[in-house]
Structure formats: structure tokens, C-alpha cells
Amino acid sequence: MATLESTVTHIDNILLSVEQSTGNVYFAMMPYITQPEKMYEFSQKLVETNPYVAGCAIAFKEDYYKDRKLFMAYMHCGESGGVAYAGSRIEQDETFGDLPYTEQIWFTKPMETGAPTWVNPLKGMEDSDEAPIMTFSLPIPDSDGKPIGVIGVDVSLRVLSTIMVEAKLSPNSYSTLLDNEGTFIVHPDSSKLMQQTAIALSGKEIDPSAREAVQAMVSGEEGYKPFRLHNEDFYVFYKPFKRKAVPGRSTEELGWSAGIVYPEDDIFGDYNSLMYYVLIIAAVGLLLMFVLSRLVIHRQLMPLNMLTREAHRIANGQYDVQIPMSKRGDEVGRLQENFRQMQQTLSTNIGEMEQLKVKLQEHGEELKIAYKRAQKADRMKTAFLHNMTNQMLAPADTIDRDVSALCNRSKDRQESGQLAESIMQNGATIADLLKNLINISDEEGVKYDWRT
């Protein structure tokens, strides 16, 4: 609404400059009011000095000048391409429009009210080929305060619209100004100025939103409304046209409504573009975040992946793997360090177990050899005992026979002596055999001591 307020101020400043220029000319001409020919000079001066003035008419009531029934000094800018513009040649005309000036609203209204006012001077002359203008009418009072004439100052609405269009607030926006009947005072399309009412225009539209917006403006409301025109979406921001209070200025309410029309793209285009940029940046950011996250996660998982591989190798029996020391101080670093120490301890224990296994294998081999030797010795001992037993059987049988014979033949001393000697010899033989057996057993016991 601040933008709309500045637009209203801009238009009002133009109107105020016209009003002040008219007031200055009024005070300058009053001393020469009885000289009709001077009125042309003041009319021309006003057109020349104010760039917004397209024409000026100083008109008097009937028979004000005794030698002239009607008198109007009308000076206006020449036209270029059908458009009156300030700074062009000044032309003089005796008439304006297709009605006598005494019947035109710009003259009759201030003559009736005695107050300055802004009017549509072409009202009632819709078929006139005059360029669209808005006229400031300032009554000229006599000494009694009764109007004797009117200064009518025309402002070209085409020029005013051009000024407002050039002060464009966005690429496709435009300002508009409606009078109390909904007629366009300011519009970028000059063909609509003072020729077609906004209400009539909106009435042709299928979408009723345009008609609602115009009715809100004509009703003197303030706010904004969306509407659709020519299959395009627009927003209109509007407020009543309030004139700035200036000392000596008429406080009359004109009933105008100012508005700024924005295509939806002008309002939301930058937002949509920004949204697209944000989405693109967000997508790129997410992509970068994804890549960086993968890199960070990969870097974080590298020690874990390495530990997984080494754990698999250890599970397959490769206990001598080399796990590097970690330079990281986080949980993963501590895990790697603990895993490395565990691997070193496991490798040491496995090495010791391998050494013990070798020793046990060596001792096993020795035990196998000793066992074989023991088995061999046992077999030899059994054979030896069997042999010794066989050798002792003959002396024992001899002793038995000799003893029996000795008992039966005790009367023959010679024979008894021989038997006794034989018994002694065979007993000695058995004793020697037993002694040798004991010695051999002792030797074998020492030789095959299990503790060695």
C-alpha cells in the first residue's frame, strides 16, 4: 500500500501544480479583468509555464463585456500524432467542443457552486473528437463574490497516463485512476480514457472477479483484490484518492479511486524464481551433503571395514595379520587399538601354543619310540624268561630225581654222595640262572626308566 500511496501522491502533486499555476494566473489577471484582449496573454502564459497543462480557457458569462455577448480566450498546445503536449506551439481557438461553452460542465458547475472543481469537460459531448482531458475549473468572482467567469485549465490525460506508465513500479504493472462514475482518468491504454467506464469493461468479462474489483474501487473502498482479465491473473491494490491539504486549496472530495494493477507474475515472479533458485540450491546442497556424507561415512567406516577384513582372515587361521596403530581418538580409533592389541595377544598365544604343540609332538614321538622299545623289551623278557624256565626245568627235574633216588637209596654211601653232588651242581646252576635273571631284570629296568 505504500507504493499505492506514493502513486496517489505523484498524481496529486501534478494536480496541485496545475491548481497553483491557475491560482497564480488568477491573481495576476485580476487587475486586468476589464481588458479582454489581455486574457489571451494570461491563458497562453499558463499553458507555457506548466508542463502538464494542455490548454487554458478564460471564459466569462454572457454580456460581461458590453461589446461582446460571449467571450472566451482559449489557448492550447498543438498536437503531435493527435496528442497535445507541452512545449509545442500554442494555438488559439474560439470554441471548444461541439456545444457553446456556456452549456459545458467545466463552465456551468463552478458558475453554480462558486467553488473550484475538477470535472470531465467532455461530459455530454461523447461524440466530440477532442483528446481526453480533465479540467480544473476556477470561478472568477466579482466584488460581491458572485462568479462572473471561469478559468478552465485542461490536463491531458494521455500525457498524465504516459507519465504514470513511465513511472512503472514493475515490468508489467500500471497505475489507474477512476472517477466517481468508474470512468478511466489514468490508464495505459489511451483509447479507454474518458471513453469507456471500467464497470462497462468488466461487465463484458466472464470472470466476475474483475467486476467486483471495479465496484470496490468505485465504492471508495481500500484494499486489494485478485481478478482475471483476458485469461490472465492480476491483482489490483486500490484506495480512495485523497488530496493533500494545502492552505487555500479546495477541500472538495473528488470521489476518485486510485489503483495499481500488477500481473500475478510481477508479484510472485521473483518469489517463484527465488523459489526455483532455492530448490536448485537445496538440490545441489543435498547432493553435496550426500557426497560429503558418503565421504565422511566412508572415511569413518574405513577402519571398521579393515577390522572386518582382518577379523575374517583371523577367523580363517591367519593370526599373523598386521593391524596398524590408529591415530584417531574417537570410539572407532579406540576399537581399532583394542583390536590390534587383541590380535597381538592372540598371535603371541597362538605362537606359544604352536611351540608347545611341537614339543608335545616331539615328546609323543619319543613316547612312541619308548613304547616300541618297551614292547620289544617285554617280548624279549618274555622270551628270556621262557628260555630260562626251560633251562631250569632239566636241573630241577634232575634234582627231583636225585632227591627221590637219594631217599630210596640212602644205604649206598657212594651213590648218595654222587646224588648229593649232582643236587648241589644242579641247585647251583638254578641259582646262577636266577642270579643272572635278577641282574638282567635290574639292567633292563635301569635302561628303560619311564621317567627319562
Side-chain angles (χ1 to χ4, degrees), residues 426-447:
N426 288 322
T429 299
I430 290 174
D432 290 338
L433 290 172
L434 292 174
K435 184 178 180 180
N436 290 334
L437 179 61
I438 292 171
N439 290 335
I440 291 173
S441 297
D442 291 339
E443 290 177 0
E444 290 296 329
V446 173
K447 185 175 182 180

Short mmCIF file of all heavy atoms in Angstrom, two decimals, residues 426-447:
data_model
loop_
_atom_site.label_atom_id
_atom_site.label_comp_id
_atom_site.label_asym_id
_atom_site.label_seq_id
_atom_site.Cartn_x
_atom_site.Cartn_y
_atom_site.Cartn_z
N ASN A 426 73.23 -129.03 40.28
CA ASN A 426 72.01 -128.54 39.62
C ASN A 426 71.42 -127.38 40.38
O ASN A 426 70.86 -126.45 39.78
CB ASN A 426 71.00 -129.69 39.53
CG ASN A 426 71.43 -130.74 38.49
OD1 ASN A 426 71.96 -130.40 37.43
ND2 ASN A 426 71.22 -132.03 38.77
N GLY A 427 71.48 -127.38 41.73
CA GLY A 427 70.99 -126.22 42.52
C GLY A 427 71.81 -124.99 42.24
O GLY A 427 71.28 -123.88 42.13
N ALA A 428 73.16 -125.23 42.12
CA ALA A 428 73.99 -124.06 41.80
C ALA A 428 73.66 -123.53 40.43
O ALA A 428 73.64 -122.29 40.19
CB ALA A 428 75.47 -124.47 41.88
N THR A 429 73.40 -124.46 39.50
CA THR A 429 73.02 -124.00 38.14
C THR A 429 71.74 -123.18 38.19
O THR A 429 71.63 -122.12 37.55
CB THR A 429 72.84 -125.23 37.22
OG1 THR A 429 74.10 -125.95 37.14
CG2 THR A 429 72.43 -124.80 35.83
N ILE A 430 70.77 -123.70 38.95
CA ILE A 430 69.49 -122.94 39.05
C ILE A 430 69.73 -121.60 39.72
O ILE A 430 69.18 -120.57 39.32
CB ILE A 430 68.47 -123.78 39.83
CG1 ILE A 430 68.04 -124.99 38.99
CG2 ILE A 430 67.24 -122.93 40.19
CD1 ILE A 430 67.14 -125.97 39.73
N ALA A 431 70.62 -121.59 40.77
CA ALA A 431 70.90 -120.33 41.46
C ALA A 431 71.57 -119.34 40.53
O ALA A 431 71.26 -118.14 40.54
CB ALA A 431 71.78 -120.61 42.67
N ASP A 432 72.52 -119.84 39.73
CA ASP A 432 73.17 -118.93 38.77
C ASP A 432 72.17 -118.36 37.77
O ASP A 432 72.21 -117.17 37.40
CB ASP A 432 74.30 -119.69 38.03
CG ASP A 432 75.50 -120.00 38.96
OD1 ASP A 432 75.61 -119.27 39.98
OD2 ASP A 432 76.25 -120.89 38.62
N LEU A 433 71.32 -119.28 37.32
CA LEU A 433 70.30 -118.79 36.35
C LEU A 433 69.41 -117.72 36.97
O LEU A 433 69.10 -116.70 36.35
CB LEU A 433 69.46 -119.96 35.85
CG LEU A 433 70.19 -120.96 34.93
CD1 LEU A 433 69.29 -122.18 34.66
CD2 LEU A 433 70.58 -120.30 33.62
N LEU A 434 69.00 -117.95 38.20
CA LEU A 434 68.14 -116.95 38.89
C LEU A 434 68.90 -115.66 39.12
O LEU A 434 68.33 -114.56 38.98
CB LEU A 434 67.62 -117.53 40.22
CG LEU A 434 66.62 -118.69 40.08
CD1 LEU A 434 66.31 -119.27 41.48
CD2 LEU A 434 65.33 -118.22 39.43
N LYS A 435 70.20 -115.82 39.49
CA LYS A 435 71.01 -114.60 39.72
C LYS A 435 71.14 -113.79 38.43
O LYS A 435 71.00 -112.56 38.41
CB LYS A 435 72.36 -115.00 40.26
CG LYS A 435 73.24 -113.83 40.63
CD LYS A 435 74.57 -114.33 41.21
CE LYS A 435 75.47 -113.17 41.59
NZ LYS A 435 76.77 -113.62 42.17
N ASN A 436 71.42 -114.51 37.33
CA ASN A 436 71.54 -113.82 36.05
C ASN A 436 70.22 -113.15 35.65
O ASN A 436 70.18 -112.06 35.08
CB ASN A 436 71.98 -114.80 34.96
CG ASN A 436 73.42 -115.26 35.16
OD1 ASN A 436 74.24 -114.54 35.75
ND2 ASN A 436 73.75 -116.47 34.67
N LEU A 437 69.13 -113.86 35.96
CA LEU A 437 67.80 -113.31 35.65
C LEU A 437 67.56 -112.02 36.41
O LEU A 437 67.06 -111.02 35.86
CB LEU A 437 66.72 -114.35 35.96
CG LEU A 437 65.27 -113.91 35.70
CD1 LEU A 437 65.08 -113.58 34.24
CD2 LEU A 437 64.32 -115.04 36.13
N ILE A 438 67.93 -112.04 37.71
CA ILE A 438 67.75 -110.83 38.53
C ILE A 438 68.62 -109.71 38.01
O ILE A 438 68.17 -108.54 37.88
CB ILE A 438 68.06 -111.15 40.01
CG1 ILE A 438 66.99 -112.10 40.55
CG2 ILE A 438 68.13 -109.88 40.84
CD1 ILE A 438 67.32 -112.65 41.95
N ASN A 439 69.86 -110.01 37.65
CA ASN A 439 70.76 -108.94 37.14
C ASN A 439 70.24 -108.35 35.83
O ASN A 439 70.28 -107.14 35.60
CB ASN A 439 72.16 -109.52 36.95
CG ASN A 439 72.85 -109.85 38.29
OD1 ASN A 439 72.52 -109.25 39.30
ND2 ASN A 439 73.79 -110.79 38.29
N ILE A 440 69.82 -109.29 34.97
CA ILE A 440 69.30 -108.79 33.67
C ILE A 440 68.08 -107.91 33.88
O ILE A 440 67.88 -106.89 33.25
CB ILE A 440 69.00 -109.99 32.75
CG1 ILE A 440 70.30 -110.67 32.33
CG2 ILE A 440 68.22 -109.53 31.52
CD1 ILE A 440 70.11 -111.97 31.57
N SER A 441 67.18 -108.30 34.84
CA SER A 441 65.97 -107.50 35.11
C SER A 441 66.34 -106.14 35.64
O SER A 441 65.75 -105.13 35.27
CB SER A 441 65.08 -108.26 36.13
OG SER A 441 64.65 -109.48 35.57
N ASP A 442 67.38 -106.13 36.54
CA ASP A 442 67.81 -104.82 37.06
C ASP A 442 68.37 -103.94 35.95
O ASP A 442 68.09 -102.74 35.87
CB ASP A 442 68.86 -105.02 38.16
CG ASP A 442 68.27 -105.65 39.43
OD1 ASP A 442 67.01 -105.51 39.57
OD2 ASP A 442 69.03 -106.21 40.22
N GLU A 443 69.16 -104.51 35.07
CA GLU A 443 69.75 -103.73 33.98
C GLU A 443 68.66 -103.20 33.03
O GLU A 443 68.68 -102.04 32.58
CB GLU A 443 70.73 -104.59 33.21
CG GLU A 443 71.99 -104.89 34.00
CD GLU A 443 72.92 -105.81 33.23
OE1 GLU A 443 72.53 -106.18 32.08
OE2 GLU A 443 74.01 -106.12 33.73
N GLU A 444 67.72 -104.07 32.71
CA GLU A 444 66.65 -103.62 31.81
C GLU A 444 65.80 -102.54 32.45
O GLU A 444 65.33 -101.62 31.81
CB GLU A 444 65.76 -104.80 31.40
CG GLU A 444 66.45 -105.79 30.47
CD GLU A 444 66.79 -105.16 29.15
OE1 GLU A 444 66.03 -104.24 28.69
OE2 GLU A 444 67.78 -105.53 28.51
N GLY A 445 65.60 -102.64 33.76
CA GLY A 445 64.81 -101.61 34.47
C GLY A 445 65.48 -100.27 34.44
O GLY A 445 64.85 -99.23 34.26
N VAL A 446 66.80 -100.28 34.60
CA VAL A 446 67.55 -99.01 34.51
C VAL A 446 67.53 -98.47 33.10
O VAL A 446 67.37 -97.29 32.83
CB VAL A 446 68.99 -99.22 35.01
CG1 VAL A 446 69.81 -97.97 34.76
CG2 VAL A 446 68.98 -99.57 36.47
N LYS A 447 67.67 -99.33 32.14
CA LYS A 447 67.74 -98.92 30.73
C LYS A 447 66.44 -98.33 30.24
O LYS A 447 66.40 -97.38 29.48
CB LYS A 447 68.14 -100.13 29.89
CG LYS A 447 68.37 -99.79 28.42
CD LYS A 447 68.87 -101.00 27.69
CE LYS A 447 69.15 -100.66 26.23
NZ LYS A 447 69.66 -101.85 25.48
#
